[in-house]
Every structure is written in structure tokens, then in C-alpha cells.
Amino acid sequence: MLSSNSSQGDNQPPLRIVIADDHALVRGGIALLVEMASPGVEVLHANSFDQVLSTFSENDSIDLMLLDLKMPGMDPDSGIRTICRTWPEVPIIIVSVTEDVQTIRKALAAGAMGYVPKTSSPDVTISALKLVLAGGIYVPPHVLKQDISQLSNEPQLEESGTKSLLTRRQMEVLDLIVSGKSNKAIADEIGLTTSTVKMHVSGIFKKLGVGSRTEAIAKHAELNKNYATEK
């Protein structure tokens, strides 16, 4: 296992990032991009899933992991879930040659906070790293475009109350919001990515003219109460 260190100043400990890929050349290239995104970072390398687990066990305060989907000893879905369950505070970015939408959605649903195809440019990769380190989620543009297309093509319900304003999927999401579920819990329950759920929530807020979940729940109750009164 290799590492690289340099000072960040101001007594701030350097970010500690794990790069897991069974190709040393790939790890080296990713490490260069990581250094560009966060100068002074400490990089830990792993070339198998077993080494990933031992790296986490042997090192405290890991800030981010860049993980290849296809490494010795690793099943993609269960591997991501294992890491997320055992070290939930560590965000994972998948870096993979696989670019199909289904694989990307499954990885994000399993708990990854980002997915960067290996065909991505250095600038895109660096931006994804910075976004996830800042607490965001990076979804490749081609996945977002498909999700947005699906959202725009959803039929409107010919019903009254809240249902007259929202699509079927938006109503499904709103019902789960009313039940108190988080975006991630909603995504897990109905088989969407967290980013897609966020787009649905944004659409719900816009159509209901509200700015928060609490306001959406209140508006939902008001619309349906008014409809019941009118009947």
C-alpha cells in the first residue's frame, strides 16, 4: 500500500483519500487528479477488495474513496453496500469503464455519492471530486438527461386536489415525504437514484408553490381538504 503526503498548512490535517483499482497505472493517473483537486492530499492505494477493507480498518479519518467496480474479490453492489454500512461517514465515488445507465443507477442506489466514467475528462473528474468532498452527489450528464426526459414525459393525472397538479411519480414521492421518509429512503423504496428523487421533490415544490417539505405537506393537506369540502 502506497501513500503520498505534503503539508496543507494552518495545522489542518491533509485529506486522506483511498484509490482502489487493480491497475497501478490507473491508480497513478487518478492520484494526479486528486492532487490537482486537493493539493497536499494523502493518498492510500488498494488493488483488491480485501485490501480495501484492510485499508479502512488500519486508517482513521478517511475522507473519500475512489472505487473501481471490477476488482479481485469484489461484487459491485454488495461491495459498495458493505463499505457504506461499515463506514457510513466515508463518501464513495465509483470510477469505472462501465457507463450504462442501469449500472450507474444501481451503484448510486447502493450508496455511492458519485459515478465517474473512466472516459471522463480530467476537468470533469476534478469537478466531481470537489463536488462530493463538498457534500454533493455527482451523476454523469447522460444519466441526468435520461432522468429529466423521463420526468418531462410523465403523464398528468386527470384528478382533483393535489393529484390534479402532480404526475403519478411525484404523487408517490409526496406520499413518502408525508410519511416522513428522507430522499435516500424514498430512492431505496421506489428504485430511483437520490438525484432523481431530488428532481421530483424540486418539481413538487415548484408545482405546489412551496419551498420546503413542511410547506409541501401543509399544501397537500389544504388542497385535498378544499377538494373534499367542494364535493
Side-chain angles (χ1 to χ4, degrees):
M1 186 163 58
L2 306 173
S3 65
S4 62
N5 295 276
S6 61
S7 173
Q8 288 190 321
D10 299 327
N11 296 319
Q12 290 286 338
L15 289 176
R16 180 175 288 164
I17 295 178
V18 177
I19 300 175
D21 194 293
D22 57 336
H23 294 94
L25 188 60
V26 173
R27 292 198 308 273
I30 295 174
L32 290 175
L33 295 178
V34 166
E35 285 278 3
M36 293 172 67
S38 180
V41 67
E42 177 183 358
V43 178
L44 306 175
H45 294 246
N47 60 21
S48 69
F49 189 65
D50 286 342
Q51 196 169 64
V52 166
L53 299 180
S54 64
T55 299
F56 272 86
S57 298
E58 295 166 5
N59 294 275
D60 296 326
S61 303
I62 292 175
D63 297 288
L64 178 68
M65 178 176 201
L66 296 154
L67 177 66
D68 183 24
L69 282 181
K70 299 178 179 179
M71 285 193 306
M74 177 174 167
D75 173 78
D77 293 338
S78 64
I80 296 170
R81 293 184 190 279
T82 295
I83 297 170
C84 291
R85 183 173 60 250
T86 311
W87 296 280
E89 73 282 0
V90 180
I92 298 172
I93 298 177
I94 301 301
V95 183
S96 177
V97 296
T98 305
E99 299 188 31
D100 67 277
V101 172
Q102 183 178 5
T103 297
I104 294 172
R105 284 177 173 162
K106 286 177 68 177
L108 295 172
M113 297 297 288
Y115 196 110
V116 179
K118 287 184 178 178
T119 55
S120 301
S121 69
D123 286 345
V124 167
T125 304
I126 291 170
S127 295
L129 290 171
K130 290 180 176 179
L131 176 63
V132 174
L133 283 169
I137 298 174
Y138 178 77
V139 182
H142 70 284
V143 178
L144 286 176
K145 285 178 182 177
Q146 184 173 103
D147 288 343
I148 292 171
S149 175
Q150 289 176 348
L151 289 179
S152 64
N153 290 332
E154 287 185 354
Q156 292 294 125
L157 291 177
E158 296 297 327
E159 300 192 46
S160 300
T162 312
K163 290 182 179 180
S164 67
L165 300 173
L166 307 179
T167 67
R168 286 185 176 85
R169 182 64 89 182
Q170 287 173 338
M171 273 305 308
E172 189 175 10
V173 171
L174 180 56
D175 286 341
L176 292 171
I177 290 175
V178 172
S179 70
K181 292 186 180 293
S182 66
N183 286 348
K184 187 176 187 310
I186 293 171
D188 290 343
E189 181 156 333
I190 59 181
L192 299 176
T193 64
T194 305
S195 59
T196 302
V197 171
K198 286 182 177 179
M199 284 190 289
H200 280 301
V201 172
S202 178
I204 291 167
F205 286 3
K206 184 176 180 180
K207 287 183 179 180
L208 296 184
V210 300
S212 70
R213 286 170 173 254
T214 303
E215 291 177 356
I217 293 170
K219 186 70 171 182
H220 174 51
E222 177 188 344
L223 286 170
N224 287 288
K225 179 180 179 181
N226 290 343
Y227 170 60
T229 301
E230 291 170 2
K231 288 181 67 178

